[in-house]
Amino acid sequence: MSIESLGPGGLDYLPCRYGNSKVLFRGPRRSLDGPFVAFFGGSITYGKFVASPFPDLVEQATGITCVNFGSLNGGVDVFATDPYLRDVSGMAQTTVIQITSPRNMSNRFYRVHPRRNDRFVEASSLLRAIYREVDFAEFNFTNHMLARLELISPERFETVVEELQTAWVARMRLVLSQIKGRTVLLWASRQTPEASATDPEADLAFVSREMIDKVSELATEYVETVISDSAIDAGTDGMVFNEMDAPAAKLMLGPVAHNEIAQSLVPVMN
């Protein structure tokens, strides 16, 4: 069973902004004046439905100030295109980058919302030419669109996946090359990279071991956390959500999984 909601809306994330960034991050807002570790990532880093996400747990274990720059439904585009976040990575003593799926990033075939990267905005003329029978106006989310494209033509869909993978490697290498300080690349998923590469339903769908190798060479450290069966079986235990959010909560990682991620990161923080 989930613990009781902290209010009618569920968990209060105290959303806040830093500097001139337009992205809403999880609060409370932290001071960036002293030494700190910056955590970039999507909904897992943000800790949706989790009272103490793994950046908080790393801070508790190490005593190092850990600032959560995870964004709900954010992909690599959030921290690749936000000038302020590039500045933040320059101030941080370490920047932890959670790997996110290439589904939610702009590429030659389609454009996503600059901050809510799961939101599909527009298909390019190239993708429209490949899938002439598809009315792209009916899609609001990338997952819905990609599932439909694969269903219509698995053969043509392979071309889409190849573009996503190529664009992801280029974008991630660009992000890592622009960070002057120490960096930790984090894999946090229910599946291994080998399983994710071919499973469109995986947490980090379409990210392969080969892709990770191409980007991790630019990081100071690479940490791989494959969530245990026991953490997965815990389901929504300890999560904070209201009744309406119950279906969404079942798709997210719970406190046990966040603890496993934190434990994998602590040894590389010092």
Side-chain angles (χ1 to χ4, degrees), residues 14 38 57 87 94 96 100 124 136 139 166 176-178 199 225 228 237 245 249 265:
L14 301 172
L57 300 178
D87 293 341
T94 300
V96 178
T100 55
S124 70
F136 288 93
F139 303 119
T166 299
L176 287 165
S177 68
Q178 291 178 334
D199 182 3
T225 308
S228 70
D237 286 356
D245 285 330
L265 284 169

Side-chain angles (χ1 to χ4, degrees), residues 5 14-16 18 25 44 59 87 98 150 194-195 205 222 231-232:
S5 166
L14 301 172
C16 63
Y18 289 88
F25 301 107
I44 293 175
E59 177 170 322
D87 293 341
Q98 174 216 330
E150 183 180 25
E194 287 74 17
Y222 169 66
I232 295 172

Side-chain angles (χ1 to χ4, degrees), residues 81-92:
T81 60
D82 190 310
Y84 183 76
L85 291 184
R86 287 200 295 271
D87 293 341
V88 164
S89 65
M91 295 186 287

Side-chain angles (χ1 to χ4, degrees), residues 116-174:
R116 300 298 293 268
N117 295 162
D118 63 327
R119 306 292 176 89
F120 171 76
V121 173
E122 181 181 42
S124 70
S125 56
L126 182 58
L127 185 59
R128 293 179 186 276
I130 295 174
Y131 282 92
R132 294 183 182 277
E133 70 272 49
V134 175
D135 178 9
F136 288 93
E138 67 179 278
F139 303 119
N140 294 315
F141 297 92
T142 57
N143 284 357
H144 181 203
M145 179 196 65
L146 292 172
R148 180 71 62 81
L149 297 186
E150 183 180 25
L151 182 64
I152 291 172
S153 175
E155 294 77 17
R156 282 179 279 169
F157 188 67
E158 289 181 7
T159 302
V160 176
V161 172
E162 289 174 3
E163 164 60 19
L164 297 184
Q165 293 175 326
T166 299
W168 184 90
V169 170
R171 203 79 44 85
M172 287 293 291
R173 287 184 63 89
L174 175 63

Side-chain angles (χ1 to χ4, degrees), residues 184-205:
V184 177
L185 189 64
L186 171 66
W187 175 277
S189 172
R190 299 173 180 89
Q191 300 85 17
T192 64
E194 287 74 17
S196 297
T198 56
D199 182 3
E201 300 298 321
D203 297 336
L204 301 178

